[in-house]
Amino acid sequence: MTNVRLVFSVFLLCTGVFPARAQISFSSLQQVLDYADNHAISIQSAKDQQQIATSKYRTSKAALLPSLSASAGFNDNITLQPTLVPANLFNPAAPAGTFNEYTFGRKYVYSTGVQAGWDVVNFQKWFDVKTADAARKLSEASIVNTRFQLYNQLAQTYYSILLTGKYIGIANGNIAAADSIYRIANDKYEAGIFTEENLNRSKIQLAQAQQQASDLTSSLAQLYNQLQTQLNTNEQLMLTDTLSAAYADKADEAAITSVHPQVQVQEAQLKLNEQQLAQNRSMLYPTLGLGYQYNQNWASDKMFDLSGANHLPQQFFAAKLNIPLFNGLATRGKISQSRIQLRQQQQVLENQRLAAQKEDENLDLQYHQSIVDMNKQEEILALQSSNDNHSKDRYESGIIGLDERLDKFTDLLQVQNQYMQSLSNYYINYYKRYIRIKR
């Protein structure tokens, strides 16, 4: 029982000092993208900007509603200012030019009031609503574009990790093959059959294979760190997906039909520029406002005693028409600037549409060509691997020398690099096309 308690105490101590680190596992690219929707800082920032734009839109709509306010006040007239009144106003016999001092008012004044106002005709406020709505739609398009950009970055990192893992497996196999060649060469060198030059050549190939595996392992760790940064998490990540050409058939069935996210942003920006031009033009339009005010005042010489107070009610209705006849050249200057910005944005949009169309066409061409190249490189790799196996058997049987064996092994390494490059090109075009279709 004592030993059990001791083991349990040590376990608790270890778990307290070395807490278990959480791990997040992804089995597909889609899972990574879904996780990014809720955690990536760039997407969250874009969502916050969209909420701000929505709030501004609601605020501009609220400005169209009538305003209603109430007020209450209290004045303590510590010193009532005297007023000079002509003496003959109350005494006709008083000489002209003489004045008497009189004090008007009461010491304490209580007031309440209600004010209502409404801009019945205010084109600027109406266009403010449309401009704010266009800005809100621009923020929505920006979220789509932000997702599109981040998804491409995530997909690039995701498949780089998978490709690097596959390449590490190939590199480890090359280390085993190079080590086998080196051991045989070393044995024959010690027996006086091989020259030191041939021995060094086999040793160099082994060192190069080991260095490549080490570089790939370091790159894999860096790629995982990069993925953590993109996903805004410090938790350990693990990808359980495997590279498979089965994606090709699924992606091949669909066509790119959606509007490019960057085009959506430029379209939304154009609408915003149109509304900004209309908003600046509205500064030349008249405005009409209505107002109503009702006030109640009580004046008394005793604080908080309204029994002998004077009741002084007041109410009025007002209508105000404002016609901007001349306000300098500021407004017309803003209108001119908005016209230029609108024309520039129209040109940018047309250019972006053309660029996006050609980019999608090139993406289709590159994707289909990468499938052809990958299939061809798989065939070449299989043939070269078969040749290398025959070379290995002939070398171990003493039929060929070390020079020829190393040359064949070098040929295999080159074909492996070409195959991995074609595989990388395929997945780059695959995920770019996948994101364009799905997003």
Side-chain angles (χ1 to χ4, degrees), residues 70 101 129:
E101 291 186 4
V129 175

Side-chain angles (χ1 to χ4, degrees), residues 84-100 102 104:
L84 294 177
V85 178
N88 57 13
L89 181 64
F90 299 104
N91 183 8
T98 59
F99 296 87
N100 294 328
Y102 293 95
F104 296 95

